[in-house]
Amino acid sequence: MAYATSDEVRIAVVEEAAAGTTPATPVFDILRLNSESITANFNTVDSQELTTARGQVDAIPAGQSVSGSIEAYACPNDVYQSFLAAILGSSTTPFTTGSVTPGSTLTSYTLEKTIPDSSGSSHYWRVAGLVPNSVTINASPNEPVTWSFGFMGGEFSRATSIVGGATYDPPTPAVNTATPYLADDMAITFGAAALGGPFKVTAASLTIDSQNREIECVAQTLGYVALGKLRVSMELTVLFENLEAYDYLTNPSTARGTGSFDLNHAGSAGDIEFDFDSIMVENVENQTPGASQEVVATMSLVALTKPAGNQVTITV
């Protein structure tokens, strides 16, 4: 018997004009991805009804919630760029070029997961009202950069056919099939220092978390997603060439400034820049790994909101 494999699964999304409502005759964008874990969590309540049999009478269905993530190589891609803008709360979606900054717009999507079975038929699992909530970008030497997008909210349903009139766009060859960003091509700055001079970065990650929350309401199947307090943080593992560099990072008067986390593409276009008007070091941990290994320090940084600046600006 043949079983469905991950290579046969298709993930596609379309932006919604009204939260929780799939557009009529939708044009779905098929995603490039490495893995995904978008799933519905069905809530049940153990019945407290008394019985002389002393057993549990029922498990009562009591709603559902949807959450999970999509992991992919970071690369120039209109859909993932739009997810970035949505996490910021920007009204600029789709986001294909220019700059976006934090805002208060909630953007939702319908996600469709197509899974074929052994008979050759396809099953369609859909989530309407799915909201991008966070992204973590990871970089390691001699590796492609990866990003993981977290999602929440929405209502899960199953079907045996596509949405009426739906079409599916394969990745646009000029942009969406571009090669991934490479960690070796990145540029990271903090204050007046370009990390790579006195600071040698052995690992880097950037997390943007909208910290949204889902509010369940009576007489409403779909939960209400409320925007949270945006948090932007960065973690760097660095080597030191001199003690002055360490002092620079741990001195409160110098451990803050502007910063950037830039994904540079080997092609002529497609760079994504993350710029911070104010970023500070929250913590520095020294580690001595063991014999014949370099001493490293793990830096935790956080981007701040200032009256005359933006917590983060994303430019494509």
Side-chain angles (χ1 to χ4, degrees):
M1 177 180 291
Y3 297 93
T5 68
S6 57
D7 295 326
E8 299 174 296
V9 174
R10 181 181 70 185
I11 304 296
V13 297
V14 60
E15 185 175 332
E16 299 171 345
T21 301
T22 303
T25 62
V27 180
F28 282 94
D29 287 304
I30 299 173
L31 293 182
R32 299 175 65 186
L33 72 159
N34 297 344
S35 63
E36 60 84 25
S37 60
I38 306 296
T39 186
N41 305 300
F42 296 96
N43 304 319
T44 59
V45 176
D46 289 347
S47 172
Q48 301 302 306
E49 186 175 349
L50 301 179
T51 170
T52 56
R54 214 170 50 83
Q56 181 175 323
V57 173
D58 198 4
I60 305 168
Q64 60 170 279
S65 60
V66 177
S67 62
S69 62
I70 294 175
E71 293 75 31
Y73 291 126
C75 62
N77 183 290
D78 294 349
V79 180
Y80 286 120
Q81 290 164 197
S82 297
F83 288 164
L84 291 173
I87 292 168
L88 291 192
S90 170
S91 59
T92 306
T93 57
F95 174 41
T96 58
T97 187
S99 298
V100 293
T101 55
S104 56
T105 300
L106 187 71
T107 302
S108 62
Y109 295 81
T110 293
L111 179 143
E112 181 182 81
K113 182 188 303 187
T114 305
I115 305 175
D117 63 18
S118 59
S119 69
S121 301
S122 291
H123 298 259
Y124 302 89
W125 295 3
R126 296 192 189 98
V127 179
L130 192 66
V131 176
N133 184 53
S134 65
V135 61
T136 296
I137 303 172
N138 290 302
S140 298
N142 303 318
E143 294 283 346
V145 178
T146 61
W147 48 25
S148 175
F149 289 85
F151 297 85
M152 66 178 299
E155 184 175 16
F156 175 81
S157 64
R158 296 183 182 90
T160 56
S161 61
I162 66 172
V163 176
T167 55
Y168 298 83
D169 273 358
T172 305
V175 177
N176 290 351
T177 57
T179 56
Y181 299 107
L182 297 178
D184 297 349
D185 296 326
M186 292 179 60
I188 302 174
T189 64
F190 173 71
L195 301 190
F199 310 97
K200 301 299 185 183
V201 180
T202 61
S205 68
L206 171 67
T207 297
I208 304 176
D209 189 354
S210 187
Q211 300 190 112
N212 298 333
R213 58 194 183 278
E214 187 172 7
I215 304 172
E216 301 291 349
C217 303
V218 173
Q220 182 174 321
T221 303
L222 186 64
Y224 169 69
V225 177
L227 291 173
K229 183 181 289 295
L230 186 69
R231 178 173 172 83
V232 182
S233 58
M234 186 160 51
E235 186 168 289
L236 305 173
T237 302
V238 297
L239 308 174
F240 291 112
E241 293 185 16
N242 52 60
L243 288 178
E244 286 76 9
Y246 180 79
D247 291 339
Y248 178 87
L249 294 175
T250 56
N251 187 332
S253 64
T254 57
R256 64 175 62 214
T258 59
S260 65
F261 188 99
D262 298 342
L263 303 179
N264 299 318
H265 197 257
S268 59
D271 296 355
I272 300 181
E273 300 177 359
F274 299 83
D275 295 308
F276 319 107
D277 288 336
S278 179
I279 191 167
M280 65 171 290
V281 177
E282 285 188 300
N283 189 40
V284 179
E285 296 181 358
N286 283 107
Q287 302 170 30
T288 305
S292 302
Q293 297 186 52
E294 288 72 26
V295 175
V296 299
T298 301
M299 299 167 48
S300 299
L301 304 96
V302 60
L304 308 174
T305 295
K306 293 295 182 182
N310 292 306
Q311 190 175 7
V312 58
T313 300
I314 304 176
T315 302
V316 175

